[in-house]
Amino acid sequence: MTNLYFEDAEIGTSCTVGAYLVTKNEIIQFAKQYDPMPRHIDEEAAARSIFGGLSASSAHTFSIYILLSKKLQPRLHVLAGLGWDELKLRPDDELGLETTTLEKRESKSKPDRGILRNRVLLRNQRRETVLECISTIFVARRPNT
Amino acid sequence: MTNLYFEDAEIGTSCTVGAYLVTKNEIIQFAKQYDPMPRHIDEEAAARSIFGGLSASSAHTFSIYILLSKKLQPRLHVLAGLGWDELKLRPDDELGLETTTLEKRESKSKPDRGILRNRVLLRNQRRETVLECISTIFVARRPNT
């Protein structure tokens, strides 16, 4: 399957991928390296946190979103992520991703690329949203042939 | 050193921590698990990317920001991260964090906590900004004694 170029993106298109099962071990291993707070690495301390149990680090949830976003079909020729607006996160355990294209525009200064804005939703197995944001990405324009 | 409560936070206070040196090996190991794109794991492919060299995954940069944020002094009784606005990232290698408190307000529904908004800047060794955002966090209010 070939990757889509900027020109192929259509406003309103939705894509989904998942579910990704986050294990307790993965939560603890990730948190030990990047977010070693008791609520992320110690089940007893986690039970006393405002989440009432072990929760993935926000950085971990964001990482799983990035991982799943690279698995969306059809794939885009993404050049880089530019920004994320209104990013909200809560931890959870089994995650599926949904993106919807909101806007597309050509770069004014770089003729090789366009800019897409997407509504991003990461949901758990109960369809509760655990991450939502608006992403902005560079996508390659189709080369002249 | 005791952790600060919501009441202790003052608008305009800045805190800094770092530098954190991101090794090539750490970039590749992180990306293999959460962002296995050639530009993050293969130096030759990375040289052809729009970054012109190996770059950390956005998820990795965000994770380092979370790691450094837990090392800021003085420490706050943070209950949870609520959201990140206007998050912008670019990859780099040696990172220092600066946060500035922008707003504080008491929670209307939960008397045990307040809400802080902070301007966040992660800079590299050339003082270029590699991550910026506005974070929103729950911070514990001082218990009645």
Side-chain angles (χ1 to χ4, degrees):
Chain A
M1 188 159 189
T2 54
N3 290 3
L4 297 188
Y5 287 102
F6 173 73
E7 288 79 354
D8 305 311
E10 289 182 22
I11 306 298
T13 301
S14 289
C15 305
T16 59
V17 65
Y20 179 89
L21 180 63
V22 192
T23 65
K24 190 182 297 184
N25 183 55
E26 184 184 330
I27 288 173
I28 293 171
Q29 291 309 312
F30 188 102
K32 279 185 176 172
Q33 189 166 2
Y34 292 108
D35 198 353
M37 305 298 284
R39 63 178 172 271
H40 300 311
I41 58 177
D42 175 338
E43 289 191 73
E44 287 185 23
R48 295 189 301 270
S49 77
I50 64 172
F51 298 110
L54 205 64
S55 63
S57 167
S58 295
H60 191 183
T61 306
F62 188 78
S63 300
I64 292 165
Y65 146 57
I66 294 291
L67 176 65
L68 289 176
S69 72
K70 305 303 164 78
K71 297 183 176 180
L72 287 167
Q73 292 289 349
R75 293 180 69 158
L76 293 169
H77 274 285
V78 177
L79 297 170
L82 292 182
W84 290 263
D85 293 320
E86 303 173 33
L87 173 63
K88 296 175 190 68
L89 288 163
R90 43 163 283 181
D92 221 294
D93 51 354
E94 193 173 330
L95 303 173
L97 181 65
E98 178 184 323
T99 68
T100 305
T101 304
L102 300 179
E103 295 174 35
K104 61 181 283 190
R105 65 179 193 276
E106 296 164 7
S107 167
K108 287 181 181 126
S109 58
K110 306 268 189 183
D112 67 340
R113 66 194 68 170
I115 296 156
L116 288 186
R117 279 169 63 82
N118 302 292
R119 161 65 60 192
V120 175
L121 290 173
L122 194 64
R123 292 198 187 93
N124 65 16
Q125 62 273 37
R126 292 176 297 280
R127 300 280 296 169
E128 298 160 341
T129 299
V130 300
L131 175 152
E132 61 176 296
C133 64
I134 297 169
S135 72
T136 306
I137 55 177
F138 277 144
V139 179
R141 295 185 64 181
R142 188 176 291 114
N144 293 319
T145 50
Chain B
M1 188 159 188
T2 55
N3 291 2
L4 297 188
Y5 286 102
F6 173 74
E7 288 80 355
D8 305 310
E10 290 182 21
I11 307 300
T13 301
S14 290
C15 304
T16 60
V17 65
Y20 179 88
L21 181 64
V22 192
T23 65
K24 190 182 296 184
N25 182 55
E26 184 183 331
I27 288 174
I28 293 171
Q29 291 309 312
F30 188 102
K32 279 185 175 171
Q33 189 166 3
Y34 292 107
D35 197 354
M37 305 299 284
R39 63 177 171 273
H40 300 311
I41 59 177
D42 174 337
E43 288 191 74
E44 287 185 23
R48 294 190 300 270
S49 77
I50 65 171
F51 298 111
L54 204 66
S55 64
S57 166
S58 295
H60 191 183
T61 306
F62 189 77
S63 300
I64 293 166
Y65 146 58
I66 295 292
L67 176 65
L68 288 176
S69 73
K70 304 303 164 77
K71 297 184 176 182
L72 287 167
Q73 292 289 349
R75 294 180 68 157
L76 293 169
H77 274 285
V78 177
L79 296 170
L82 292 183
W84 290 263
D85 292 320
E86 302 172 33
L87 174 63
K88 297 174 188 69
L89 288 163
R90 44 165 281 183
D92 222 293
D93 50 355
E94 193 173 330
L95 304 173
L97 180 66
E98 178 183 323
T99 68
T100 304
T101 303
L102 300 179
E103 295 174 36
K104 62 181 284 190
R105 65 180 193 274
E106 294 164 8
S107 167
K108 288 181 181 126
S109 58
K110 305 268 188 181
D112 66 340
R113 66 194 69 173
I115 296 154
L116 289 187
R117 279 170 64 81
N118 301 293
R119 160 66 61 191
V120 175
L121 290 173
L122 195 62
R123 292 198 186 94
N124 66 16
Q125 62 272 38
R126 293 177 296 282
R127 300 281 295 168
E128 297 160 343
T129 298
V130 300
L131 176 153
E132 59 177 296
C133 65
I134 296 169
S135 72
T136 306
I137 56 177
F138 278 143
V139 179
R141 295 186 63 182
R142 186 177 292 113
N144 294 319
T145 51

